[in-house]
Amino acid sequence: YKFDPRATKDAPFTRPDGSKTDVPLMRQTGEFAYGEFTMFVRRRGEKVRVLELPYAGKELSMVVFLPEDPTGVHRLPQWLGGGDFAGPALKPQGVAVAL
């Protein structure tokens, strides 16, 4: 699903340290596989949004993980590498995407 270059606009981006900077973000609205989950690392629950973006032909896709707290991005590998992680159950829904 191609992003329309005309829809790219500068918007705030939050770095892992919590600081912000303006960057060009591609934008698209559509129906994508999406879900919101709680990840547990060291007994601490953190919310994370998960989005699957299919590529042409839908044979491949990119899965995007976005922690609610930007400082939690460094804990994602621990969560994804956990023995009980079976992959999130995503459901198709309308989503506004900015990357």
Side-chain angles (χ1 to χ4, degrees):
Y1 297 14
K2 291 185 179 181
F3 283 82
D4 182 348
R6 296 172 298 187
T8 299
K9 306 277 185 234
D10 283 354
F13 177 82
T14 305
R15 296 180 179 116
D17 67 3
S19 63
K20 295 183 187 265
T21 188
D22 281 348
V23 298
L25 294 178
M26 304 179 298
R27 297 174 184 275
Q28 183 178 135
T29 301
E31 188 165 294
F32 300 102
Y34 176 82
E36 295 182 4
F37 306 92
T38 301
M39 64 175 180
F40 291 95
V41 177
R42 296 188 191 132
R43 299 182 189 225
R44 180 177 173 195
E46 296 182 73
K47 293 191 189 263
V48 63
R49 292 179 277 178
V50 181
L51 171 70
E52 182 178 14
L53 295 171
Y55 285 96
K58 297 187 179 182
E59 291 181 23
L60 298 172
S61 64
M62 174 174 65
V63 179
V64 179
F65 294 82
L66 180 64
E68 184 176 69
D69 175 3
T71 63
V73 72
H74 69 278
R75 287 184 288 282
L76 282 171
Q78 294 170 292
W79 180 58
L80 293 170
D84 59 348
F85 181 76
L90 305 177
K91 295 181 181 166
Q93 57 186 293
V95 180
V97 179
L99 293 174

Coordinates of all heavy atoms in Angstrom, one line a residue:
Y1 N 0.9 -1.2 0.0 CA 0.0 0.0 0.0 C 0.9 1.2 0.0 O 1.5 1.5 1.0 CB -0.9 0.0 1.2 CG -1.9 -1.2 1.3 CD1 -1.7 -2.3 0.5 CD2 -2.9 -1.1 2.2 CE1 -2.6 -3.3 0.6 CE2 -3.8 -2.1 2.2 CZ -3.7 -3.2 1.4 OH -4.6 -4.3 1.5
K2 N 1.0 1.9 -1.1 CA 1.9 3.0 -1.3 C 1.4 4.2 -0.5 O 0.2 4.5 -0.4 CB 2.1 3.4 -2.7 CG 2.8 2.3 -3.5 CD 3.1 2.8 -4.9 CE 3.9 1.8 -5.7 NZ 4.1 2.2 -7.0
F3 N 2.3 4.9 0.1 CA 2.0 6.2 0.7 C 2.0 7.3 -0.4 O 2.9 7.3 -1.2 CB 3.0 6.5 1.8 CG 2.8 5.8 3.1 CD1 3.3 4.5 3.2 CD2 2.1 6.3 4.2 CE1 3.1 3.8 4.4 CE2 1.9 5.6 5.3 CZ 2.4 4.3 5.4
D4 N 1.1 8.2 -0.3 CA 1.0 9.3 -1.3 C 2.1 10.3 -0.8 O 1.9 10.9 0.3 CB -0.4 9.9 -1.3 CG -0.5 11.0 -2.3 OD1 0.5 11.5 -2.8 OD2 -1.7 11.4 -2.6
P5 N 3.1 10.6 -1.6 CA 4.1 11.6 -1.2 C 3.5 13.0 -0.9 O 4.0 13.7 0.0 CB 5.0 11.7 -2.4 CG 4.7 10.6 -3.3 CD 3.3 10.1 -2.9
R6 N 2.4 13.3 -1.5 CA 1.7 14.6 -1.2 C 1.2 14.7 0.2 O 0.9 15.8 0.8 CB 0.6 14.9 -2.2 CG 1.2 15.1 -3.6 CD 0.1 15.2 -4.6 NE -0.7 13.9 -4.5 CZ -1.6 13.6 -5.3 NH1 -2.0 14.4 -6.3 NH2 -2.3 12.4 -5.2
A7 N 1.0 13.5 0.9 CA 0.4 13.5 2.2 C 1.5 13.6 3.3 O 1.2 13.6 4.5 CB -0.4 12.2 2.4
T8 N 2.8 13.6 2.9 CA 3.9 13.7 3.8 C 4.0 15.1 4.4 O 4.0 16.1 3.6 CB 5.2 13.3 3.2 OG1 5.1 12.0 2.7 CG2 6.4 13.4 4.1
K9 N 4.0 15.2 5.7 CA 4.0 16.5 6.4 C 4.9 16.4 7.6 O 5.1 15.4 8.2 CB 2.6 16.9 6.9 CG 1.5 16.9 5.9 CD 1.5 18.2 5.1 CE 0.3 18.2 4.1 NZ 0.6 18.4 2.8
D10 N 5.5 17.5 7.9 CA 6.3 17.6 9.2 C 5.4 17.5 10.4 O 4.4 18.1 10.4 CB 7.2 18.9 9.2 CG 8.4 18.8 8.3 OD1 8.6 17.8 7.7 OD2 9.1 19.9 8.2
A11 N 5.9 16.7 11.4 CA 5.1 16.5 12.6 C 6.1 16.2 13.7 O 7.2 15.7 13.5 CB 4.0 15.5 12.4
P12 N 5.7 16.4 15.0 CA 6.5 16.0 16.1 C 6.8 14.5 16.2 O 5.9 13.7 16.0 CB 5.8 16.5 17.3 CG 4.7 17.4 16.8 CD 4.4 17.0 15.4
F13 N 8.1 14.2 16.4 CA 8.5 12.8 16.6 C 9.1 12.7 18.0 O 10.0 13.6 18.3 CB 9.5 12.4 15.6 CG 10.0 11.0 15.8 CD1 9.3 9.9 15.3 CD2 11.3 10.8 16.4 CE1 9.8 8.6 15.5 CE2 11.8 9.5 16.5 CZ 11.0 8.4 16.1
T14 N 8.7 11.7 18.8 CA 9.3 11.6 20.2 C 10.4 10.6 20.1 O 10.2 9.5 19.8 CB 8.2 11.2 21.2 OG1 7.1 12.1 21.1 CG2 8.8 11.1 22.6
R15 N 11.6 11.0 20.6 CA 12.8 10.2 20.7 C 12.7 9.3 21.9 O 11.9 9.6 22.9 CB 14.0 11.0 20.8 CG 14.3 11.8 19.5 CD 15.6 12.7 19.8 NE 15.9 13.5 18.6 CZ 16.0 14.8 18.6 NH1 15.7 15.5 19.7 NH2 16.3 15.5 17.6
P16 N 13.5 8.2 22.0 CA 13.4 7.3 23.2 C 13.7 8.1 24.5 O 13.2 7.6 25.5 CB 14.5 6.3 22.9 CG 14.5 6.2 21.4 CD 14.3 7.6 21.0
D17 N 14.5 9.2 24.5 CA 14.7 9.9 25.7 C 13.6 10.9 26.1 O 13.7 11.6 27.1 CB 16.1 10.6 25.6 CG 16.1 11.8 24.6 OD1 15.0 12.1 24.0 OD2 17.1 12.4 24.4
G18 N 12.6 10.9 25.3 CA 11.4 11.8 25.6 C 11.5 13.1 24.9 O 10.5 13.8 24.9
S19 N 12.6 13.5 24.3 CA 12.7 14.8 23.6 C 12.0 14.7 22.3 O 11.7 13.6 21.8 CB 14.2 15.2 23.4 OG 14.8 14.3 22.6
K20 N 11.6 15.8 21.7 CA 10.8 15.8 20.5 C 11.6 16.6 19.4 O 12.3 17.6 19.7 CB 9.4 16.4 20.7 CG 8.6 15.6 21.6 CD 7.2 16.2 21.7 CE 6.4 15.5 22.7 NZ 5.6 14.4 22.2
T21 N 11.3 16.3 18.2 CA 11.8 17.0 17.0 C 10.8 16.8 15.9 O 10.1 15.9 15.8 CB 13.2 16.5 16.6 OG1 13.7 17.3 15.6 CG2 13.2 15.1 16.1
D22 N 10.8 17.8 15.0 CA 9.9 17.7 13.8 C 10.6 16.9 12.7 O 11.8 17.2 12.4 CB 9.5 19.1 13.3 CG 8.4 19.7 14.1 OD1 7.8 19.1 15.0 OD2 8.2 21.0 13.9
V23 N 9.9 16.0 12.1 CA 10.4 15.1 11.1 C 9.3 15.0 10.0 O 8.1 15.1 10.3 CB 10.8 13.8 11.5 CG1 12.0 13.9 12.5 CG2 9.7 13.0 12.1
P24 N 9.6 14.7 8.7 CA 8.6 14.4 7.7 C 8.0 13.1 8.0 O 8.7 12.1 8.1 CB 9.4 14.5 6.4 CG 10.8 14.4 6.8 CD 11.0 14.7 8.2
L25 N 6.7 13.0 8.1 CA 5.9 11.8 8.3 C 5.0 11.5 7.2 O 4.2 12.3 6.7 CB 5.1 11.8 9.6 CG 5.9 11.9 10.9 CD1 4.9 12.0 12.1 CD2 6.8 10.8 11.1
M26 N 5.1 10.2 6.6 CA 4.2 9.8 5.6 C 2.9 9.5 6.3 O 2.9 9.0 7.4 CB 4.8 8.5 4.9 CG 6.1 8.6 4.3 SD 6.7 7.1 3.6 CE 6.7 6.0 5.0
R27 N 1.8 9.7 5.6 CA 0.5 9.5 6.2 C -0.4 8.7 5.3 O -0.3 8.8 4.1 CB -0.2 10.8 6.5 CG 0.6 11.6 7.5 CD 0.0 13.0 7.7 NE 0.8 13.8 8.6 CZ 0.7 13.8 9.9 NH1 -0.2 13.0 10.5 NH2 1.5 14.5 10.6
Q28 N -1.2 7.9 5.9 CA -2.2 7.0 5.2 C -3.3 6.6 6.1 O -3.0 6.3 7.3 CB -1.5 5.8 4.6 CG -2.3 4.9 3.8 CD -1.5 3.7 3.2 OE1 -2.0 2.7 3.3 NE2 -0.3 4.0 2.7
T29 N -4.5 6.5 5.6 CA -5.6 6.0 6.4 C -6.2 4.8 5.6 O -6.3 4.9 4.4 CB -6.7 7.1 6.6 OG1 -6.1 8.2 7.3 CG2 -7.9 6.6 7.4
G30 N -6.5 3.7 6.4 CA -7.0 2.6 5.7 C -7.3 1.5 6.7 O -7.2 1.7 8.0
E31 N -7.8 0.3 6.3 CA -8.1 -0.8 7.2 C -6.8 -1.7 7.2 O -6.4 -2.2 6.2 CB -9.3 -1.6 6.7 CG -9.7 -2.6 7.7 CD -11.1 -3.1 7.4 OE1 -12.0 -2.4 7.6 OE2 -11.2 -4.3 7.1
F32 N -6.3 -1.8 8.4 CA -5.1 -2.6 8.6 C -5.3 -3.5 9.8 O -6.1 -3.2 10.7 CB -3.9 -1.7 8.8 CG -3.6 -0.8 7.7 CD1 -3.9 0.5 7.8 CD2 -2.9 -1.3 6.6 CE1 -3.6 1.4 6.7 CE2 -2.6 -0.4 5.5 CZ -3.0 0.9 5.6
A33 N -4.5 -4.6 9.9 CA -4.5 -5.4 11.1 C -3.8 -4.6 12.3 O -2.7 -4.1 12.1 CB -3.7 -6.7 10.9
Y34 N -4.5 -4.5 13.4 CA -4.1 -3.6 14.5 C -4.5 -4.1 15.8 O -5.5 -4.8 15.9 CB -4.7 -2.2 14.3 CG -4.4 -1.2 15.3 CD1 -3.3 -0.5 15.4 CD2 -5.3 -1.0 16.4 CE1 -3.0 0.4 16.4 CE2 -5.1 -0.1 17.4 CZ -3.9 0.6 17.4 OH -3.6 1.6 18.4
G35 N -3.8 -3.8 16.8 CA -4.1 -4.2 18.2 C -3.4 -3.4 19.2 O -2.3 -2.9 18.9
E36 N -3.9 -3.4 20.4 CA -3.3 -2.7 21.6 C -3.1 -3.8 22.7 O -4.1 -4.5 23.0 CB -4.1 -1.5 22.1 CG -4.1 -0.4 21.0 CD -4.9 0.8 21.5 OE1 -5.3 0.9 22.7 OE2 -5.0 1.7 20.7
F37 N -1.9 -3.9 23.2 CA -1.6 -4.9 24.1 C -0.8 -4.4 25.3 O -0.3 -3.3 25.3 CB -0.7 -6.0 23.4 CG -1.4 -6.5 22.2 CD1 -1.1 -6.0 21.0 CD2 -2.3 -7.6 22.3 CE1 -1.7 -6.4 19.8 CE2 -2.9 -8.0 21.1 CZ -2.6 -7.4 19.9
T38 N -0.7 -5.2 26.3 CA 0.2 -4.9 27.5 C 1.3 -5.9 27.5 O 1.2 -7.1 27.4 CB -0.6 -5.1 28.8 OG1 -1.7 -4.2 28.8 CG2 0.3 -4.7 30.0
M39 N 2.6 -5.3 27.4 CA 3.8 -6.1 27.5 C 4.3 -6.1 28.9 O 4.2 -5.1 29.6 CB 4.8 -5.6 26.5 CG 5.4 -4.3 26.8 SD 6.7 -4.0 25.6 CE 7.2 -2.3 26.1
F40 N 4.8 -7.3 29.3 CA 5.3 -7.4 30.7 C 6.8 -7.7 30.6 O 7.2 -8.7 30.1 CB 4.5 -8.5 31.5 CG 3.1 -8.1 31.8 CD1 2.1 -8.5 30.9 CD2 2.8 -7.3 32.9 CE1 0.8 -8.1 31.2 CE2 1.5 -6.9 33.2 CZ 0.5 -7.3 32.3
V41 N 7.6 -6.8 31.1 CA 9.0 -7.0 31.2 C 9.4 -6.6 32.6 O 9.1 -5.5 33.1 CB 9.8 -6.1 30.2 CG1 11.3 -6.2 30.4 CG2 9.4 -6.4 28.8
R42 N 10.0 -7.6 33.3 CA 10.3 -7.4 34.7 C 9.1 -7.0 35.5 O 9.1 -6.1 36.4 CB 11.4 -6.3 34.9 CG 12.7 -6.7 34.2 CD 13.8 -5.7 34.6 NE 14.9 -5.9 33.8 CZ 15.6 -5.0 33.1 NH1 15.2 -3.8 33.2 NH2 16.7 -5.3 32.4
R43 N 8.0 -7.7 35.3 CA 6.7 -7.5 36.0 C 6.1 -6.1 35.9 O 5.2 -5.8 36.6 CB 6.9 -7.8 37.5 CG 7.3 -9.3 37.7 CD 7.5 -9.5 39.2 NE 8.1 -10.8 39.4 CZ 7.6 -11.7 40.3 NH1 6.6 -11.4 41.0 NH2 8.3 -12.8 40.4
R44 N 6.6 -5.4 34.9 CA 6.0 -4.1 34.7 C 5.2 -4.1 33.4 O 5.7 -4.5 32.4 CB 7.2 -3.1 34.5 CG 6.7 -1.7 34.3 CD 7.9 -0.7 34.2 NE 7.5 0.6 33.8 CZ 8.2 1.5 33.3 NH1 9.5 1.3 33.2 NH2 7.7 2.7 33.0
G45 N 3.9 -3.7 33.5 CA 3.0 -3.7 32.4 C 3.1 -2.4 31.6 O 3.0 -1.3 32.2
E46 N 3.3 -2.5 30.3 CA 3.4 -1.3 29.5 C 2.5 -1.5 28.3 O 2.5 -2.6 27.7 CB 4.8 -1.0 29.0 CG 5.7 -0.7 30.2 CD 7.1 -0.4 29.7 OE1 7.3 0.7 29.1 OE2 8.0 -1.2 29.8
K47 N 1.8 -0.5 27.9 CA 0.9 -0.6 26.7 C 1.8 -0.4 25.4 O 2.7 0.4 25.4 CB -0.2 0.4 26.7 CG -1.2 0.1 27.8 CD -2.4 1.0 27.7 CE -3.2 0.9 28.9 NZ -4.3 0.0 28.9
V48 N 1.4 -1.3 24.4 CA 2.1 -1.2 23.1 C 1.1 -1.3 22.0 O 0.1 -2.2 22.1 CB 3.2 -2.2 23.0 CG1 2.7 -3.6 23.0 CG2 4.1 -2.0 21.7
R49 N 1.2 -0.5 21.0 CA 0.3 -0.6 19.8 C 1.0 -1.4 18.7 O 2.2 -1.1 18.5 CB -0.1 0.8 19.3 CG -1.0 1.5 20.3 CD -1.4 2.8 19.9 NE -0.3 3.7 20.2 CZ -0.3 5.0 20.0 NH1 -1.2 5.6 19.3 NH2 0.7 5.7 20.4
V50 N 0.3 -2.3 18.1 CA 0.9 -3.1 17.0 C 0.1 -3.0 15.7 O -1.1 -3.1 15.8 CB 1.0 -4.6 17.5 CG1 1.7 -5.4 16.4 CG2 1.7 -4.7 18.8
L51 N 0.8 -2.7 14.6 CA 0.2 -2.5 13.3 C 0.9 -3.3 12.3 O 2.2 -3.4 12.3 CB 0.3 -1.0 13.0 CG -0.1 -0.6 11.6 CD1 -1.6 -0.7 11.4 CD2 0.4 0.8 11.3
E52 N 0.2 -4.0 11.5 CA 0.8 -4.8 10.4 C 0.4 -4.1 9.0 O -0.7 -3.8 8.7 CB 0.2 -6.2 10.3 CG 0.8 -7.0 9.2 CD 0.3 -8.5 9.2 OE1 -0.7 -8.7 9.8 OE2 0.9 -9.3 8.5
L53 N 1.5 -3.7 8.3 CA 1.3 -3.0 7.0 C 1.8 -4.0 5.9 O 2.9 -4.4 5.8 CB 2.2 -1.8 6.9 CG 1.9 -0.7 7.9 CD1 3.0 0.4 7.9 CD2 0.5 -0.1 7.5
P54 N 0.8 -4.5 5.1 CA 1.1 -5.4 4.0 C 1.8 -4.8 2.9 O 1.6 -3.6 2.6 CB -0.2 -5.9 3.6 CG -1.2 -4.9 4.0 CD -0.6 -4.2 5.1
Y55 N 2.7 -5.5 2.2 CA 3.4 -5.1 1.0 C 2.6 -5.6 -0.2 O 1.6 -6.4 0.0 CB 4.8 -5.6 1.0 CG 5.7 -4.9 1.9 CD1 6.0 -5.4 3.1 CD2 6.3 -3.7 1.5 CE1 6.9 -4.7 4.0 CE2 7.2 -3.0 2.3 CZ 7.5 -3.5 3.6 OH 8.3 -2.8 4.4
A56 N 2.9 -5.2 -1.4 CA 2.2 -5.5 -2.6 C 2.1 -7.1 -2.6 O 3.0 -7.8 -2.4 CB 3.0 -5.1 -3.8
G57 N 0.9 -7.5 -3.0 CA 0.6 -8.9 -3.1 C 0.3 -9.6 -1.7 O -0.1 -10.7 -1.7
K58 N 0.5 -8.9 -0.7 CA 0.2 -9.3 0.7 C 0.9 -10.6 1.1 O 0.5 -11.3 2.0 CB -1.3 -9.5 0.9 CG -2.1 -8.3 0.7 CD -3.6 -8.5 1.1 CE -4.3 -7.2 1.0 NZ -5.7 -7.3 1.3
E59 N 2.0 -10.9 0.4 CA 2.8 -12.1 0.8 C 3.8 -11.7 1.9 O 4.2 -12.6 2.6 CB 3.6 -12.6 -0.4 CG 2.7 -13.3 -1.5 CD 3.4 -13.8 -2.6 OE1 4.6 -14.1 -2.5 OE2 2.8 -14.0 -3.7
L60 N 4.1 -10.4 2.0 CA 5.0 -9.9 3.0 C 4.4 -8.8 3.7 O 3.5 -8.1 3.1 CB 6.4 -9.5 2.4 CG 7.2 -10.5 1.7 CD1 8.4 -9.8 1.0 CD2 7.7 -11.5 2.7
S61 N 4.8 -8.5 4.9 CA 4.3 -7.4 5.7 C 5.3 -6.9 6.6 O 6.3 -7.6 7.0 CB 3.0 -7.7 6.4 OG 3.3 -8.7 7.4
M62 N 5.1 -5.6 7.1 CA 6.0 -5.0 8.1 C 5.1 -4.9 9.3 O 4.0 -4.4 9.3 CB 6.5 -3.7 7.6 CG 7.2 -2.9 8.7 SD 8.0 -1.4 8.2 CE 6.6 -0.4 7.8
V63 N 5.6 -5.3 10.5 CA 4.9 -5.2 11.7 C 5.6 -4.1 12.5 O 6.8 -4.1 12.8 CB 4.9 -6.5 12.5 CG1 4.1 -6.4 13.8 CG2 4.2 -7.6 11.6
V64 N 4.8 -3.1 13.0 CA 5.3 -2.0 13.7 C 4.8 -2.1 15.1 O 3.6 -2.3 15.4 CB 4.8 -0.6 13.1 CG1 5.3 0.6 13.8 CG2 5.2 -0.6 11.6
F65 N 5.8 -1.9 16.1 CA 5.5 -1.9 17.5 C 5.7 -0.5 18.1 O 6.8 0.0 17.9 CB 6.4 -2.9 18.2 CG 6.1 -4.4 17.9 CD1 6.7 -4.9 16.7 CD2 5.3 -5.2 18.6 CE1 6.4 -6.2 16.3 CE2 5.0 -6.5 18.3 CZ 5.6 -7.0 17.1
L66 N 4.7 0.1 18.7 CA 4.9 1.4 19.2 C 4.5 1.4 20.7 O 3.3 1.4 21.0 CB 4.0 2.4 18.4 CG 4.1 3.9 18.9 CD1 5.5 4.4 18.7 CD2 3.0 4.7 18.1
P67 N 5.4 1.5 21.6 CA 5.1 1.6 23.0 C 4.4 2.9 23.3 O 4.8 4.0 22.7 CB 6.5 1.5 23.7 CG 7.5 1.2 22.7 CD 6.9 1.5 21.4
E68 N 3.5 2.9 24.2 CA 2.8 4.1 24.7 C 3.8 5.1 25.3 O 3.7 6.3 25.0 CB 1.7 3.8 25.7 CG 0.9 5.0 26.1 CD -0.2 4.6 27.0 OE1 0.0 4.2 28.2 OE2 -1.4 4.6 26.6
D69 N 4.7 4.6 26.0 CA 5.8 5.4 26.7 C 7.0 5.3 25.8 O 7.6 4.2 25.6 CB 6.1 4.9 28.1 CG 7.3 5.6 28.7 OD1 7.8 6.5 28.1 OD2 7.6 5.2 29.8
P70 N 7.5 6.4 25.1 CA 8.6 6.3 24.2 C 9.9 5.8 24.9 O 10.7 5.2 24.2 CB 8.8 7.8 23.8 CG 7.6 8.5 24.1 CD 6.9 7.7 25.2
T71 N 10.0 5.9 26.2 CA 11.2 5.4 26.8 C 11.2 3.9 26.9 O 12.2 3.3 27.3 CB 11.4 6.0 28.2 OG1 10.3 5.6 29.1 CG2 11.5 7.5 28.2
G72 N 10.0 3.2 26.6 CA 9.9 1.8 26.7 C 10.4 1.1 25.4 O 10.4 -0.2 25.4
V73 N 10.8 1.8 24.4 CA 11.2 1.2 23.2 C 12.3 0.2 23.4 O 12.4 -0.8 22.7 CB 11.5 2.2 22.1 CG1 12.8 3.0 22.4 CG2 11.5 1.6 20.7
H74 N 13.2 0.5 24.3 CA 14.4 -0.4 24.5 C 14.0 -1.8 25.2 O 14.7 -2.7 25.2 CB 15.5 0.3 25.3 CG 15.1 0.5 26.7 ND1 14.4 1.6 27.1 CD2 15.4 -0.2 27.8 CE1 14.2 1.6 28.4 NE2 14.8 0.5 28.9
R75 N 12.8 -1.8 25.7 CA 12.3 -3.1 26.3 C 11.6 -4.0 25.3 O 11.3 -5.2 25.6 CB 11.4 -2.8 27.5 CG 12.2 -2.2 28.7 CD 11.3 -2.0 29.9 NE 10.4 -0.9 29.8 CZ 10.8 0.4 30.0 NH1 12.1 0.7 30.2 NH2 10.0 1.4 29.8
L76 N 11.3 -3.5 24.1 CA 10.6 -4.3 23.1 C 11.3 -5.6 22.8 O 10.7 -6.7 22.8 CB 10.3 -3.5 21.9 CG 9.2 -2.5 21.9 CD1 9.1 -1.7 20.7 CD2 7.8 -3.3 22.1
P77 N 12.6 -5.6 22.6 CA 13.3 -6.9 22.3 C 13.1 -7.9 23.4 O 13.0 -9.1 23.1 CB 14.8 -6.5 22.1 CG 14.7 -5.1 21.8 CD 13.6 -4.5 22.5
Q78 N 13.1 -7.5 24.7 CA 12.9 -8.4 25.8 C 11.5 -9.0 25.7 O 11.3 -10.2 25.9 CB 13.1 -7.7 27.1 CG 14.5 -7.3 27.4 CD 14.6 -6.4 28.6 OE1 14.1 -5.3 28.6 NE2 15.3 -6.9 29.6
W79 N 10.5 -8.2 25.4 CA 9.2 -8.7 25.4 C 9.0 -9.6 24.2 O 8.4 -10.7 24.3 CB 8.2 -7.5 25.2 CG 6.8 -7.8 25.1 CD1 6.0 -8.5 26.0 CD2 5.9 -7.5 24.1 NE1 4.7 -8.6 25.6 CE2 4.6 -8.0 24.4 CE3 6.0 -6.8 22.9 CZ2 3.5 -7.8 23.6 CZ3 4.9 -6.6 22.1 CH2 3.7 -7.1 22.4
L80 N 9.5 -9.3 23.0 CA 9.4 -10.1 21.8 C 10.2 -11.4 21.9 O 9.8 -12.4 21.3 CB 9.8 -9.3 20.6 CG 9.0 -8.1 20.2 CD1 9.7 -7.3 19.2 CD2 7.6 -8.6 19.8
G81 N 11.2 -11.4 22.7 CA 12.1 -12.6 22.9 C 11.6 -13.5 24.0 O 12.2 -14.5 24.2
G82 N 10.6 -13.1 24.7 CA 10.1 -13.9 25.8 C 9.5 -15.2 25.4 O 9.0 -15.3 24.3
G83 N 9.7 -16.3 26.2 CA 9.3 -17.6 25.8 C 7.8 -17.8 25.6 O 7.4 -18.6 24.8
D84 N 7.0 -16.9 26.2 CA 5.6 -17.1 26.1 C 5.0 -16.2 25.0 O 3.8 -16.1 24.8 CB 4.9 -16.8 27.4 CG 5.2 -15.4 28.0 OD1 6.0 -14.7 27.4 OD2 4.5 -15.0 28.9
F85 N 5.8 -15.5 24.3 CA 5.3 -14.6 23.2 C 4.9 -15.4 22.0 O 5.8 -16.1 21.4 CB 6.3 -13.5 22.8 CG 5.8 -12.6 21.8 CD1 5.0 -11.6 22.1 CD2 6.2 -12.7 20.5 CE1 4.5 -10.7 21.2 CE2 5.8 -11.8 19.5 CZ 4.9 -10.8 19.9
A86 N 3.7 -15.4 21.6 CA 3.2 -16.2 20.5 C 2.8 -15.3 19.3 O 2.3 -15.7 18.3 CB 2.0 -17.0 20.9
G87 N 3.0 -14.0 19.5 CA 2.5 -13.0 18.5 C 1.2 -12.5 18.8 O 0.3 -13.1 19.3
P88 N 1.0 -11.2 18.6 CA -0.2 -10.5 18.9 C -1.4 -10.9 18.0 O -1.1 -11.2 16.8 CB 0.1 -9.0 18.8 CG 1.2 -9.0 17.8 CD 2.0 -10.3 18.0
A89 N -2.6 -11.0 18.5 CA -3.8 -11.2 17.7 C -4.3 -9.9 17.2 O -4.9 -9.1 18.0 CB -4.8 -11.9 18.6
L90 N -4.0 -9.6 16.0 CA -4.4 -8.3 15.4 C -5.8 -8.5 14.7 O -6.0 -9.6 14.1 CB -3.3 -7.9 14.4 CG -1.9 -7.8 15.0 CD1 -1.0 -7.4 13.9 CD2 -1.9 -6.8 16.1
K91 N -6.5 -7.4 14.6 CA -7.8 -7.4 14.0 C -7.9 -6.3 13.0 O -7.4 -5.2 13.3 CB -8.9 -7.3 15.0 CG -9.0 -8.4 16.0 CD -10.1 -8.3 17.0 CE -10.1 -9.4 17.9 NZ -10.9 -9.3 19.1
P92 N -8.5 -6.5 11.8 CA -8.7 -5.4 10.8 C -9.5 -4.3 11.4 O -10.6 -4.6 12.0 CB -9.3 -6.1 9.7 CG -9.2 -7.6 9.9 CD -9.1 -7.8 11.4
Q93 N -9.0 -3.1 11.3 CA -9.8 -1.9 11.7 C -9.3 -0.7 11.0 O -8.1 -0.7 10.5 CB -9.9 -1.8 13.2 CG -8.5 -1.7 13.9 CD -8.7 -1.7 15.4 OE1 -9.2 -0.8 15.9 NE2 -8.2 -2.7 16.0
G94 N -10.1 0.4 11.0 CA -9.6 1.6 10.4 C -8.5 2.3 11.2 O -8.7 2.4 12.4
V95 N -7.4 2.6 10.6 CA -6.3 3.2 11.3 C -5.7 4.4 10.5 O -5.6 4.3 9.3 CB -5.2 2.1 11.5 CG1 -4.0 2.7 12.2 CG2 -5.7 0.9 12.2
A96 N -5.4 5.4 11.2 CA -4.6 6.5 10.6 C -3.2 6.3 10.9 O -2.8 6.3 12.1 CB -5.1 7.9 11.1
V97 N -2.3 6.1 9.9 CA -0.9 5.7 10.1 C 0.0 6.9 9.7 O -0.3 7.6 8.7 CB -0.5 4.6 9.1 CG1 0.9 4.2 9.3 CG2 -1.4 3.4 9.4
A98 N 1.0 7.2 10.5 CA 2.0 8.2 10.3 C 3.3 7.6 10.6 O 3.6 7.2 11.7 CB 1.7 9.5 11.1
L99 N 4.2 7.5 9.6 CA 5.5 6.9 9.8 C 6.6 7.9 9.3 O 6.4 8.5 8.3 CB 5.7 5.6 9.0 CG 4.9 4.4 9.4 CD1 5.1 3.3 8.4 CD2 5.3 4.0 10.8

